[in-house]
Amino acid sequence: MPGGFAGVDVFFVISGYLITGILLRSIASDTFSISDFYARRIRRIFPALVLVLATGFLIGWFVLPPREFMQLGKHILAGAGFVSNLVFWSEAGYFDTDAIEKPLLHLWSLGIEEQFYIVWPLIIWFVNRKRLSVFWTIIGLSSCSFLFNLVLTSSAPVSAFYSPLSRAWELGMGGLVACVAAQGLQIEKRKATALSILGLSMIVVTFFAIDSASNFPGWLAALPVLGTCLVIVAGMHAVPNHVLLARRIPCALGLISYPLYLWHWMLISFAWIVLDRPPLIFEMLTVVGVSLVLAILTYALIERPIRRGVYIAALSRRALVITLSSSLTGLAVIGGFTWANGGFATRYPEDVRALLTYDYDFLTDARVDECWLDDKVAPDAFKETCFPTSSSKPKILLWGDSHAARLYPGFAEVYAKHYAIGIAARDGCPPVVSVGYEICQKSNEHILARIAAEKPEIVMLFGVWPTHAAKAKGMLIPAMDATIAKLADAGIEHIVLVGPAPYWEDPLPKVMLKYRENEHVLPRLKSGLTDSAFEMDQEFKKHAWITRVSYISLIDILCDDKGCLTYVPNDKRQLTTWDYGHLTTPGAVFVSERMMFPNK
């Protein structure tokens, strides 16, 4: 389902409901103990987690190259420390690894849950000891968290997604329902049925009404959260709850839900990585089936015996907690060591190790946070030095997205002696008017105003054109027409359009390894390229306005009948790109030298 990720919000409510109910009952019976609470959580959470993390490490050892294995080690360390949400939050960005290639990505929600569990018992205990209202305390804290969620979602949605502070209200709402349930609330069957139908409808609508592009959590998260609360409040008297949710299969899934949660995403991710493509339907069903089998075995052989005290007979409860804690700590150490040692590149032959460990610093020389901005800063946040003002040299402004930002270091190195060179780039924003996100349009308006004021002799437009064309849905060319007209009206003498660079199906080092011959990497490759850049290059060459601008084809510079360059001629260490298409500085120097700009 497009909004299936909102199932996490349902989970948070249920989790808050269950844990708050346990706390309230233990406090009411005067059996509450902080140490006992945490010991129970360890016995509940650690066994299956230790197994899954250890399995993930072993699979990664055999199928992941050093860079990806190094990242897995980092994520094992984060998962064992229940801070996955914070780590994935710190990694999120324009150049982040695709979500599907992070086998432990799903542990972000476990991190939030356990962070909540560390603080929540202390709050409930303190409030009860001071004879304050638990109900009103939860309302107050949840309201603050919800408001924080709204503010953060509007300004930094990725932060809102991963932050425990912006998610706490969801667990708090479950706690609120537990407070109501503790009062022995009874609802007449007809009303309970209505509440359940309404709640289930809200949840199901969410799964189909939102998708990954939605501004989530924000207000939208209230739909599954409130829906879950209504279903729980309705209780067993509600017909849908009794007829649908209390049946054998849903209850059986509930029993294995935790190990199924741990296994499923990791196996799906590894399947995607091993296949090097999206799994087919029968392959995905196979992976899901394997996840179910492993979840059942984990529950039957590990979780249930521990709950029933089978293993506790041989170990005291304290010894079991120490053993589980030591095991998880050991995995954290192994993960950290893997991260610190670069993913054990020595697992591979020396002749391919350089590509496996290829790590390019694409930020240092590209004027990041000055002239290369992300989508989180203001439209006019460019530094004054981004726009050339020299009167002794002709002025050039390179305008575009991250691809333009990566062309700049090479272009500046080649032409800085003869031109005053500026750069205005923003992640994901095409250098054309009326296309892109709102921040792109406002940013481009600012750049156009600066161009009109400074009047550089040359304006260069460069971007990830096939991607922009796909997002613009047929509007890129008309928008480019309008942009060229505005630049001409602003008095720009020379407008230069730089066509797309070759696009590789995977990061170039990975493509080079995949298509090497006799263990030798090739200077040019035909395989591993997508068609989109070539098609866009031809479309640009045929368009009518090409006579009004100077067109530079990077396809013509980097590619010939033998394929596209993988590294700068005569130097295998200098790749043309480190990912699917952003130029390295050596690659940018290579193409800039062949752009035929007059050096005077």
Side-chain angles (χ1 to χ4, degrees), residues 137-406:
T137 298
I138 295 177
I139 286 182
L141 293 175
S142 298
S143 298
C144 291
S145 173
F146 181 68
L147 291 174
F148 181 70
N149 152 61
L150 296 181
V151 172
L152 200 59
T153 299
S154 63
S155 59
V158 173
S159 300
F161 191 88
Y162 287 118
S163 172
L165 297 180
S166 56
R167 292 287 192 165
W169 69 277
E170 302 182 21
L171 292 114
M173 288 297 293
L176 210 60
V177 176
C179 289
V180 172
Q183 302 302 314
L185 177 68
Q186 295 291 330
I187 302 177
E188 187 264 326
K189 184 175 181 179
R190 183 177 300 176
K191 293 181 179 179
T193 297
L195 289 177
S196 177
I197 292 174
L198 176 60
L200 289 172
S201 299
M202 293 169 72
I203 295 171
V204 173
V205 165
T206 304
F207 291 159
F208 289 97
I210 67 173
D211 56 29
S212 58
S214 301
N215 210 24
F216 199 85
W219 285 101
L220 293 173
L223 203 60
V225 168
L226 293 178
T228 307
C229 290
L230 292 177
V231 173
I232 298 174
V233 166
M236 281 302 299
H237 294 297
V239 173
N241 293 6
H242 181 72
V243 173
L244 298 177
L245 303 182
R247 293 297 181 184
R248 182 172 297 178
I249 292 178
C251 288
L253 286 173
L255 289 175
I256 65 167
S257 61
Y258 175 57
L260 181 58
Y261 153 79
L262 291 177
W263 283 114
H264 86 286
W265 176 262
M266 186 179 78
L267 296 183
I268 289 172
S269 177
F270 275 128
W272 190 295
I273 291 169
V274 170
L275 293 169
D276 197 26
R277 58 169 171 77
L280 303 175
I281 292 295
F282 80 91
E283 292 169 334
M284 185 66 81
L285 291 175
T286 300
V287 172
V288 172
V290 171
S291 301
L292 280 167
V293 171
L294 289 174
I296 292 169
L297 292 175
T298 303
Y299 174 76
L301 301 179
I302 295 177
E303 284 196 338
R304 187 168 61 178
I306 287 178
R307 287 186 187 180
R308 294 185 174 182
V310 174
Y311 301 134
I312 298 175
L315 291 172
S316 67
R317 290 183 180 272
R318 182 179 180 183
L320 180 62
V321 168
I322 292 173
T323 300
L324 291 171
S325 301
S326 299
S327 300
L328 196 60
T329 301
L331 279 168
V333 171
I334 292 172
F337 189 71
T338 302
W339 180 28
N341 281 271
F344 298 111
T346 52
R347 293 175 294 146
Y348 293 86
E350 187 173 352
D351 56 348
V352 298
R353 201 176 300 163
L355 284 177
L356 287 168
T357 58
Y358 188 78
D359 187 14
Y360 187 74
D361 178 7
F362 57 86
L363 298 176
T364 300
D365 60 356
R367 305 191 71 177
V368 176
D369 298 331
E370 294 181 1
C371 309
W372 178 8
L373 307 181
D374 60 30
D375 60 357
K376 301 179 182 63
V377 296
D380 59 352
F382 296 97
K383 301 292 185 184
E384 282 297 317
T385 54
C386 300
F387 301 92
T389 58
S390 170
S391 58
S392 61
K393 300 178 183 178
K395 295 176 288 187
I396 297 179
L397 179 69
L398 179 56
W399 176 18
D401 53 20
S402 60
H403 286 250
R406 282 306 318 157

Side-chain angles (χ1 to χ4, degrees), residues 65-85:
R67 181 194 295 273
E68 287 77 6
F69 193 50
M70 177 180 70
Q71 185 181 63
L72 179 67
K74 177 184 177 182
H75 295 165
I76 288 174
L77 173 61
F82 300 105
V83 292
S84 293
N85 58 313

Side-chain angles (χ1 to χ4, degrees), residues 52-63:
V52 170
L53 290 181
T55 304
F57 179 85
L58 290 175
I59 296 174
W61 177 274
F62 291 105
V63 306

